Amino acid sequence: MKIFEPKNRLEVSTPKGNGIIWLVTDYGHETDTIYTIVLNDTGEMWQFVHKDIRVSANYTFGRKF
């Protein structure tokens, strides 16, 4: 198992609302990567797999959706 804490803020949208990635947990080959997201509106922390999150648009970095 590996746990990664991103140094740069990465804003994402989730089924529960928008938030930032706080931790990324990789359990190995047979399991999806788990993203712990802090939600902007409520401050709640939820865990999602990669198929449930989308990176938010960021014009500075050229992400225009």
Side-chain angles (χ1 to χ4, degrees):
M1 176 176 74
K2 294 182 183 177
I3 297 175
F4 173 70
E5 182 178 358
K7 293 183 188 262
N8 295 322
R9 179 181 175 114
L10 185 58
E11 298 194 18
V12 294
S13 61
T14 74
K16 296 239 177 229
N18 294 332
I20 60 166
I21 294 178
W22 182 50
L23 293 175
V24 180
T25 307
D26 184 2
Y27 289 102
H29 300 304
E30 300 288 329
T31 306
D32 280 341
T33 301
I34 304 294
Y35 297 86
T36 302
I37 310 292
V38 179
L39 299 179
N40 294 338
D41 291 340
T42 63
E44 295 174 314
M45 293 194 288
W46 285 86
Q47 293 182 325
F48 299 94
V49 295
H50 65 276
K51 69 180 182 75
D52 293 330
I53 63 174
R54 297 289 178 263
V55 176
S56 300
N58 185 320
Y59 293 99
T60 302
F61 296 115
R63 285 194 308 262
K64 306 171 193 172
F65 300 126

